[in-house]
Amino acid sequence: MHPIAKKYFDLPNEKQRKVQIFLCEKALAVWECCVTTNRTYIETVAGTKQELEQVLPREAFYSVLEGQDNYSVSERYREPICALQDEDLVLEEPALSAYYAIYNLYVSTFIDREIDSWVIVNQAIASLGVENAIANLESAINETP
């Protein structure tokens, strides 16, 4: 295990959460750079036209920061997540990692389902570029209170 990853795992849960939020905020910037408008796709099971809302990750992130889901995020994420898994919707990497990182941060906050904290960190740093993973994690650890 890399020493920076070990440093993350040695942090108390509250500090790990702050690192996740720090990294997801950076992932959100990646998302918004990569995906600038809503995207439409065809859901193949029923053949219906669906729309991926560009603002959804931002609203999920804000829900986490606010401590309440004022945007009905859970309902709105359901179809796009299925579409990604069915490959009806295709997002380029790093947008895909950013989308999942923010979604999993949201799920770990509001849905009664445990998400391994490393999954969120790993997806967020993947969205920022694998070549900078260690530097981004170290920065997140050092810059969060």
Side-chain angles (χ1 to χ4, degrees):
M1 178 183 296
H2 193 280
I4 297 302
K6 182 175 179 351
K7 188 174 180 180
Y8 171 79
F9 286 115
D10 289 343
L11 295 172
N13 289 342
E14 181 181 309
K15 174 76 174 189
Q16 284 185 12
R17 185 60 165 190
K18 290 179 181 180
V19 168
Q20 294 166 24
I21 290 170
F22 180 93
L23 290 169
C24 282
E25 185 171 24
K26 292 189 174 299
L28 179 60
V30 169
W31 167 261
E32 291 178 339
C33 183
C34 293
V35 180
T36 57
T37 62
N38 290 355
R39 295 198 180 171
T40 58
Y41 60 93
I42 302 298
E43 187 273 320
T44 55
V45 173
T48 58
K49 184 177 179 180
Q50 301 289 332
E51 187 169 76
L52 171 66
E53 299 173 74
Q54 186 271 345
V55 299
L56 185 54
R58 174 167 289 284
E59 291 176 353
F61 185 73
Y62 281 171
S63 292
V64 170
L65 293 182
E66 294 166 1
Q68 56 187 7
D69 184 5
N70 292 325
Y71 308 97
S72 303
V73 169
S74 181
E75 298 297 319
R76 294 165 51 213
Y77 252 108
R78 190 170 293 134
E79 167 54 37
I81 291 291
C82 290
L84 285 167
Q85 292 170 350
D86 293 345
E87 297 180 355
D88 293 339
L89 172 62
V90 177
L91 296 172
E92 56 282 336
E93 196 61 54
L96 180 64
S97 289
Y99 193 76
Y100 275 121
I102 296 164
Y103 172 71
N104 283 322
L105 180 71
Y106 171 86
V107 167
S108 71
T109 304
F110 295 107
I111 298 176
D112 191 22
R113 184 173 32 165
E114 189 171 325
I115 302 285
D116 184 329
S117 71
W118 186 248
V119 169
I120 298 165
V121 169
N122 192 41
Q123 290 169 332
I125 59 178
S127 76
L128 302 172
V130 177
E131 65 280 357
N132 299 317
I134 298 302
N136 284 316
L137 180 55
E138 185 171 30
S139 174
I141 291 169
N142 292 334
E143 293 182 36
T144 55

